[in-house]
Amino acid sequence: MKLIFLDIDGTLTAPGSNEPPQSALDAIRKAQEAGNKVLLCSGRNYVMLSPLLKYGFDGAIASAGGYIVVGDDVIYDHMMPPEESDLALKLLHQTGVFCTLEGRDAAWGDEDLGDFLSGQAAGEGNSELERWRKALADSLGIRPMKEYNGEPVYKIVVMATDEAQLAPAREALEDRYDFCMQIISDPAHACINGELINRAFDKGRGVRRVCEYLGVPVEDTVGFGDSMNDLEMIRTVGYSVCMGNGSEALKEVSDMVCPPVEEDGLAAAFEKLGLM
């Protein structure tokens, strides 16, 4: 049996979409019929990935590893201490960083984030920026920041025009939080986006926690991703696949590059790897 881990945006679906290609759904079903388990492994929080659970996945690593469900069992649940999420938000807002707080069942974003995103180019391999652009446009569970009332936070998504804006938050929190960032170098659309993720977890450790729970060796895992927030998963799994639409940096450290998500890439890779 293989455990197959799939990123969502830019891998299983077009960024921001909840509709995988039919070819991908067919491949997943055949892989499960062959005795494998297929799980989501996403930066999305649980509520934002939940529309995809109707397709019969065997579990989900949500919030980049902070919340993990296998079958009906929650096997890992690690929230940010309130004093740390409050400090991060304060320091980031002081330097003009746009923030989205991700809970388990909701997310809260700065009210003017949509205006900021409308002026940004996504850049190659930057599916996370496209995901947030679409999520805001379609109002996919993102509430105004003014409605946030101290609910538990798993990670913080950040967007800014200059990496220097992150300096105060880095100084205060980088010993406990990984600043997983992507930079768009186009001078006409200067932008940096990414996430503050607790160093207690990441997608790679999420893979290991699922393996330990199910008693499956890490060597018997396959991971599919497209952006640099998939790096720890790609480094951890027994065999790694980057989508053709993905980050060039991620392609360089992956075992295989398959066609883009919208060119039936998952189905092609599943067939080539004998997963179905």
Side-chain angles (χ1 to χ4, degrees):
M1 179 179 71
K2 298 285 188 183
L3 299 183
I4 304 166
F5 295 91
L6 304 178
D7 173 53
I8 298 176
D9 297 283
T11 301
L12 175 64
T13 71
S17 171
N18 287 321
E19 298 180 6
Q22 187 60 47
S23 62
L25 295 175
D26 292 342
I28 291 164
R29 176 180 52 80
K30 290 177 182 178
Q32 290 171 319
E33 290 173 351
N36 303 301
K37 291 187 181 294
V38 185
L39 300 94
L40 299 172
C41 187
S42 178
R44 293 191 189 192
N45 61 357
Y46 192 73
V47 72
M48 292 183 76
L49 67 73
S50 61
L52 289 153
L53 297 178
K54 67 182 180 183
Y55 295 114
F57 290 97
D58 297 293
I61 298 172
S63 296
Y67 187 80
I68 306 175
V69 177
V70 178
D72 295 327
D73 299 329
V74 177
I75 69 166
Y76 188 72
D77 188 351
H78 192 117
M79 296 164 284
M80 293 179 72
E83 64 273 14
E84 293 182 358
S85 57
D86 290 347
L87 176 61
L89 188 63
K90 175 184 176 182
L91 294 174
L92 292 164
H93 276 167
Q94 282 179 351
T95 58
V97 177
F98 295 91
C99 300
T100 302
L101 304 177
E102 286 197 2
R104 187 192 68 177
D105 300 320
W108 299 266
D110 287 327
E111 285 81 347
D112 46 359
L113 178 57
D115 293 336
F116 173 76
L117 283 174
S118 67
Q120 306 306 317
E124 185 176 355
N126 199 334
S127 61
E128 289 302 300
L129 192 61
E130 282 301 293
R131 170 167 79 91
W132 282 102
R133 193 196 312 276
K134 182 170 177 56
L136 285 168
D138 295 347
S139 300
L140 298 181
I142 302 178
R143 302 175 185 173
M145 188 68 76
K146 64 185 179 182
E147 295 182 8
Y148 177 66
N149 195 32
E151 292 86 348
V153 172
Y154 287 80
K155 64 185 180 72
I156 301 177
V157 176
V158 298
M159 299 180 192
T161 56
D162 191 323
E163 192 167 10
Q165 293 171 265
L166 302 176
R170 281 188 186 276
E171 183 177 355
L173 295 163
E174 198 163 27
D175 61 329
R176 288 156 287 166
Y177 290 86
D178 180 26
F179 285 63
C180 181
M181 311 305 299
Q182 298 189 88
I183 300 173
I184 296 175
S185 56
D186 180 354
H189 300 281
C191 178
I192 179 169
N193 71 286
E195 301 167 324
L196 272 66
I197 301 174
N198 196 309
R199 292 188 183 276
F201 60 80
D202 54 46
K203 286 187 177 183
R205 274 180 279 189
V207 167
R208 291 188 180 276
R209 287 179 171 118
V210 173
C211 288
E212 291 171 6
Y213 180 77
L214 294 175
V216 175
V218 174
E219 292 77 13
D220 289 334
T221 61
V222 183
F224 291 77
D226 74 297
S227 66
M228 290 307 288
N229 78 343
D230 297 312
L231 180 61
E232 296 305 324
M233 175 184 69
I234 291 296
R235 286 175 169 169
T236 300
V237 293
Y239 194 88
S240 56
V241 183
C242 183
M243 308 303 293
N245 50 278
S247 161
E248 292 302 319
L250 196 69
K251 291 176 185 177
E252 290 179 3
V253 297
S254 298
D255 295 313
M256 172 183 172
V257 177
C258 72
V261 56
E262 294 174 308
E263 296 178 18
D264 300 321
L266 276 186
F270 272 44
E271 183 172 6
K272 186 172 183 178
L273 296 175
L275 298 174
M276 59 184 188

